């Protein structure tokens, strides 16, 4: 029996937290999403709408831009310049943790040092000098050279996307913090804590261990932050797009209402399709540059 790698379409990586949406200027009543429901029920449904909006964005973008780990298989050829170029299904590429290759898909060779890989936008490049490429028409040999255009089977594990986590434990003016997921965080880079009026930018210290949920900082925090506050480097355009789409999805639930367009002219009895399509169109326009063309 042959077993392949099936793309995971069940990943729940929303672009927003419930509090981020509540802090946004949407003019939406998010406390009546569940008729007769308490605050916990309202928040739970709002989280569901945010998740659906995030999924809608993923379908349009052809990828999920929240950092996550993926394993993929792909057939490639050694090019004439002496390297193997792969195009993963997700970007931007953050790290490569495993790369296996070979002429026989049932007898792959592990790349011993993944740090030799080179990342370019949506491309992962493995220099030929790092590979053991000795082939005949019958497969690998212990001697000889490589053949340009030689077909290789590959299986690789990598992290791609922008860091988008939450603070795991309340923190005051400290020089480190703990997050719920360390995926996508890199030493030396700047990130933002999204906490309303207490939002602030941080820089991760060089002592950070890649993948760890404990993040040392180059300077103490300015504010106190509660558990659940968002932190990461997801572009603001992506967050705003998710806010707009979430708002549109909530509007769909309502009836005709008095609305105000982006101009200052009031319009009465606007139908659902006209009322929410503008929000979605604006959102998709904001994220066009991040769309992956397959």
């Amino acid at each position: 029996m042959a077993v392949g790698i099936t793309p995971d379409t069940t990943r729940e990586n929303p672009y927003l937290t419930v509090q981020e949406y509540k802090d946004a200027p949407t003019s939406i009543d998010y406390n009546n999403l569940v008729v007769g429901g308490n605050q916990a029920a309202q928040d739970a449904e709002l989280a569901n709408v945010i998740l659906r909006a995030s999924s809608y964005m993923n379908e349009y973008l052809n990828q999920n831009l929240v950092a996550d780990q993926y394993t993929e298989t792909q057939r490639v050829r050694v090019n004439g310049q002496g390297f193997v170029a792969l195009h993963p299904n997700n970007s931007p590429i953050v790290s490569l943790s495993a790369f296996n290759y070979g002429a026989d898909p049932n007898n792959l060779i592990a790349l011993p040092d993944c740090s030799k890989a080179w990342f370019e936008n949506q491309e992962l490049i493995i220099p030929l000098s790092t590979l053991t490429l000795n082939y005949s028409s019958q497969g690998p040999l212990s001697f000889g050279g490589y053949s340009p255009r030689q077909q290789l089977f590959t299986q690789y594990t990598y992290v791609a996307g922008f860091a988008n986590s939450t603070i795991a434990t309340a923190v005051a003016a400290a020089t480190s913090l703990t997050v719920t997921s360390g995926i996508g965080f890199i030493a030396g880079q700047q990130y933002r804590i999204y906490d309303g009026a207490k939002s602030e930018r941080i820089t991760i210290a060089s002592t950070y261990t890649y993948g760890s949920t404990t993040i040392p900082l180059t300077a103490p925090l300015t504010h106190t932050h509660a558990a659940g506050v968002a932190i990461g480097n997801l572009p603001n355009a992506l967050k705003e797009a998710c806010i707009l789409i979430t708002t549109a999805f909530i509007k769909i639930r309502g009836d005709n209402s008095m609305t105000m367009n982006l101009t200052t002219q009031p319009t009465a009895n606007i139908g659902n399709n006209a009322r929410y399509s503008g929000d979605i169109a604006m959102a998709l326009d904001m994220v066009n540059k991040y769309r992956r063309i397959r």
Side-chain angles (χ1 to χ4, degrees), residues 2 10 18 29 54 63 66-67 76 105 110-111 113 138 147 150 163 211 223 225 227 254 269 278 287-288 291:
T10 63
V18 167
D29 180 8
S54 299
Q63 61 179 330
V66 175
V76 297
L111 182 68
D113 185 2
Q138 302 302 312
S147 172
Q150 171 72 49
H223 303 288
H225 302 286
N269 294 327
V287 301
N288 255 330
R291 193 178 190 192

Side-chain angles (χ1 to χ4, degrees), residues 179-254:
V179 294
T180 54
S181 171
I183 296 178
F185 290 95
I186 301 174
Q189 291 197 0
Q190 289 190 337
Y191 298 86
R192 185 170 180 79
I193 296 175
Y194 299 89
D195 196 9
K198 297 190 296 181
S199 295
E200 59 181 301
R201 187 169 294 278
I202 63 168
T203 301
I204 298 182
S206 60
T207 55
Y208 174 63
T209 300
Y210 180 74
S212 173
T213 57
T214 300
I215 298 181
L217 308 176
T218 57
L221 293 169
T222 304
H223 303 288
T224 298
H225 302 286
V229 169
I231 178 174
N233 65 345
L234 193 73
N236 288 325
L238 293 172
K239 285 187 175 289
E240 183 61 28
C242 192
I243 289 170
L244 288 169
I245 295 174
T246 300
T247 299
F249 283 7
I250 293 175
K251 288 179 182 179
I252 295 173
R253 299 167 60 96

Side-chain angles (χ1 to χ4, degrees), residues 258-289:
M258 182 71 74
T259 63
M260 185 71 73
N261 291 330
L262 288 180
T263 64
T264 57
Q265 301 300 316
T267 306
N269 294 327
I270 298 297
N272 280 339
N273 60 337
R275 185 165 3 115
Y276 68 75
S277 60
D279 288 340
I280 292 180
M282 184 184 299
L284 298 186
D285 185 61
M286 294 176 70
V287 301
N288 255 330
K289 66 172 290 186

